[in-house]
Amino acid sequence: MIAVNPRTEGMSNPLGISITKPLLSWWCEGGVTQTAYELEAFCENKLFFASGKIISGEQRFLMPREAGSRQCITWHVRLWDEAEKVSDWSEWSSYEMGILDHS
């Protein structure tokens, strides 16, 4: 089992978004039920957010930390199945913020 097709607000690696706390999503591939996930996000090669293990079958996550103008956030996710087996990390996905304050 692995998380595939990572999306930000339903888009693949969007540029210039204005949603400061976007919805991140993925699909579970491999025919096994997801029971938990963990998400990590980075900005300029520094940890921006780490969820820790979240017990949930949900295949979406609302980013709780706001990104600023022109920041690029890269993220990936890994999953657990009903046998508590953890997957590899998904491929990297990203989103880049637009200019949020025009002054």
Side-chain angles (χ1 to χ4, degrees), residues 45-101:
N45 295 320
K46 295 180 184 171
L47 187 63
F48 180 76
F49 179 81
S51 70
K53 183 179 179 182
I54 297 173
I55 307 299
S56 174
E58 290 285 327
Q59 295 175 13
R60 61 186 178 173
F61 179 79
L62 187 61
M63 176 58 75
R65 183 167 176 199
E66 288 190 9
S69 289
R70 305 188 105 182
Q71 284 188 310
C72 182
I73 309 299
T74 58
W75 63 276
H76 60 178
V77 63
R78 64 181 176 172
L79 312 175
W80 279 261
D81 66 16
E82 69 273 357
E84 283 299 304
K85 182 179 177 191
V86 65
S87 73
D88 291 332
W89 288 99
S90 69
E91 66 184 71
W92 288 99
S93 190
S94 66
Y95 60 94
E96 184 176 319
M97 302 303 300
I99 297 172
L100 301 176
D101 182 4

Side-chain angles (χ1 to χ4, degrees), residues 15-27:
L15 301 174
I17 67 172
S18 61
I19 300 166
T20 58
K21 295 180 177 181
L23 181 66
L24 311 178
S25 62
W26 57 90
W27 294 345

